[in-house]
Amino acid sequence: MRIAFVTSCLEPECDGVGDYTTLLAEECERRGHAVARLALNDSLIAEEIELPKLLRLPFAQPWPARLSRARQWLAAFAPDFISLQFVNYGFHARGFAIRTAARLRRLFSGWPVQVFLHELWIGEETGASWKHRLLGGWQRRGVLALLRTLDVRAIHTSNATYVHRLECQGLAAKRLPLFGSLPLPTQSHREKTDALTFALFGTLHPVWPAEPLFTHLRALKRRIEIVHAGNIGAGEALWNQLEATYGATFRFRRLGRLSPQSLADFFASADLGVATTPWAIIGKSASVAAMLDCGLPVVVNRDDVHYSGVPEEPADTPLLIKMGADLPAELGSVLRGTPALRKREVADQFLADMETAWKR
C-alpha cells in the first residue's frame, strides 16, 4: 500500500504525536509499504522543509498556500489512503476543529482516510466545570465534523474510554495501543539497593496529586529518590512546591532532556515509574508507553476522572499498578518486564485494519 501520514508537527523529539507518526511510518516502510509524511501546522519551523518522503509546512504560512502546496504534494505521491494522526490542539490553541475539518475535507478529497484520535474533547467527565463543558462542546463539534465529513474508513484511538465515548456519538472506533518512541535499553537493571528510584517523564500536570502516594512511599521505610526526565512543561511550579514540601523526606532530582538511548537506559536503572495521567485514560499517555516498553512497572495514582456510563477497564499489562490502600505491600512484590518494542505488534494491527478498510 501507499500510505500518507498526516499530522500537525514533525519536529523530532519535540512532539510526541510526531515521533509516534514517524516510527509507525518507518515500521510500515520496513514491511514493504510506500510511506510519506506531511506536517500541516508545524509551529517549530519558520519556512517550509521538504525532504524525500517528507513535507513540513510552517504554522505562519497562510492556510490557502499550505493547502495548495499539500494537495499538490499528496497528488504527486498518490497514496492509497491517508492516515491522519490527529490532535485538535495541534491545529488550534483551544482545540477547536470546525475550520480544520473544512480545510481537511478539501485537502483529502478523493482519498480514503484513517483517523487516529490522540485526544477527544474535554468537559464530559463527572464534575466538569461549566467552562470545560462549554469549551468541550465546541471541541466535540469540530471532531465530529471532521469524522463525518471526511471519507473515513477506520477510526482508531488509544484507550477503551475514548472508544466508548465515540460509540455514544454513533461512531465505530477500535483501540490501537500506543507504543513508546525509545530504543531498547542497552543496560540491564542495576543491582537492588536500599534506595528506590521513582521516575517521572514528560509534562508534569499541575493538578497531579502527590498524596496519598507520598504517604504510601514513606511507609516503605526505604530511601526514596524522585527523578524527573524530559520537559516538565506547566508542572515547573508544582515540582518546586513538591521539593520544598517533601525535600527533607525524599531526594528530588531533575535530568532534563536526554537522548532517546539515555532515557531508555535511565528507565532500565529506575525501580518504578509514576504516571500523571488518570487511570480512565492511561492508554493515551506516550510517557507511560515509553516506560512500559522499557519493562518499567508504572504506578498510576490518579483515579479522579470518571465518565458516566463508561465501565472501568482492567489494565492490559501487569506492569500498570493502580494505587490502592495496599500499595506498599504490592510494590514489594512487583517485577520488571522484559523490554520489548511494541511498535511491531501495533503496526501489525494498523496494517491489518487498513487492508480491510482499503478493500471496502
Side-chain angles (χ1 to χ4, degrees), residues 30-312:
R30 194 180 69 83
R31 313 289 181 90
H33 302 281
V35 304
R37 292 176 295 138
L38 169 64
L40 274 176
N41 198 48
D42 209 316
S43 60
L44 297 177
I45 57 174
E47 297 181 351
E48 174 186 311
I49 294 176
E50 183 174 16
L51 298 171
K53 300 178 289 187
L54 170 69
L55 178 64
R56 295 173 60 187
L57 300 175
F59 166 84
Q61 188 177 20
W63 268 110
R66 265 185 278 172
L67 293 175
S68 176
R69 179 73 174 96
R71 177 78 186 183
Q72 179 187 40
W73 185 84
L74 285 171
F77 177 68
D80 292 313
F81 71 87
I82 289 168
S83 173
L84 174 62
Q85 303 288 320
F86 187 72
V87 182
N88 45 12
Y89 290 101
F91 290 90
H92 190 279
R94 293 192 175 185
F96 300 157
I98 289 288
R99 290 186 177 179
T100 301
R103 289 164 178 154
L104 295 184
R105 182 174 64 247
R106 295 194 298 272
L107 176 60
F108 296 160
S109 177
W111 290 299
V113 181
Q114 173 261 356
V115 181
F116 190 113
L117 294 167
H118 290 265
E119 298 272 3
L120 289 190
W121 49 82
I122 65 173
E124 285 190 354
E125 66 275 15
T126 303
S129 68
W130 68 267
K131 181 179 179 181
H132 278 190
R133 291 198 302 270
L134 181 63
L135 289 174
W138 282 101
Q139 291 177 352
R140 183 176 63 251
R141 286 182 60 190
V143 172
L144 295 180
L146 182 84
L147 297 176
R148 289 168 175 163
T149 58
L150 301 180
D151 181 12
V152 175
R153 305 291 180 87
I155 302 172
H156 288 114
T157 191
S158 61
N159 59 87
T161 295
Y162 283 2
V163 169
H164 187 278
R165 292 169 67 195
L166 288 164
E167 287 175 348
C168 291
Q169 300 294 330
L171 295 164
K174 294 183 67 174
R175 179 173 178 246
L176 185 68
L178 291 184
F179 53 80
S181 59
L182 302 179
L184 291 176
T186 57
Q187 62 186 46
S188 59
H189 183 53
R190 61 178 168 78
E191 293 295 322
K192 285 191 174 182
T193 67
D194 182 55
L196 284 176
T197 298
F198 286 79
L200 292 129
F201 173 41
T203 300
L204 179 61
H205 297 282
V207 299
W208 179 76
E211 293 294 350
L213 174 63
F214 280 11
T215 295
H216 288 311
L217 298 189
R218 284 196 194 95
L220 296 173
K221 304 299 183 182
R222 296 176 67 175
R223 289 187 293 116
I224 301 294
E225 183 178 46
I226 311 294
V227 184
H228 184 277
N231 295 322
I232 202 165
E236 184 81 37
L238 175 58
W239 178 268
N240 294 336
Q241 179 186 339
L242 294 175
E243 193 168 11
T245 304
Y246 298 96
T249 306
F250 308 134
R251 182 189 179 198
F252 287 80
R253 188 157 57 99
R254 292 269 297 276
L255 300 179
R257 286 190 63 185
L258 300 173
S259 70
Q261 189 63 68
S262 296
L263 186 56
D265 290 341
F266 164 60
F267 289 151
S269 72
D271 294 287
L272 291 142
V274 178
T276 62
T277 300
W279 180 265
I281 51 175
I282 196 65
K284 72 181 284 293
S285 173
S287 298
V288 170
M291 290 190 266
L292 295 177
D293 275 12
C294 292
L296 184 65
V298 178
V299 176
V300 185
N301 72 309
R302 285 187 65 187
D303 192 24
D304 55 339
V305 175
H306 302 275
Y307 298 89
S308 177
V310 179
E312 181 176 302

Side-chain angles (χ1 to χ4, degrees), residues 311-334:
E312 181 176 302
E313 294 286 332
D316 56 6
T317 169
L319 293 178
L320 275 179
I321 306 161
K322 185 178 182 181
M323 186 184 70
D326 58 347
L327 182 68
E330 193 172 359
L331 294 184
S333 60
V334 68

Side-chain angles (χ1 to χ4, degrees), residues 1-3 5 20 22-35 53 81 176-177 179 341-355 358:
M1 293 181 289
R2 300 181 64 81
I3 312 168
F5 289 87
Y20 175 89
T22 295
L23 289 170
L24 181 58
E26 289 174 350
E27 185 65 21
C28 291
E29 187 173 43
R30 194 180 69 83
R31 313 289 181 90
H33 302 281
V35 304
K53 300 178 289 187
F81 71 87
L176 185 68
F179 53 80
L341 298 180
R342 291 178 297 159
K343 68 179 178 181
R344 293 169 185 167
E345 60 189 70
V346 172
D348 284 342
Q349 181 185 337
F350 170 80
L351 289 169
D353 291 347
M354 292 306 93
E355 288 170 359
W358 184 36

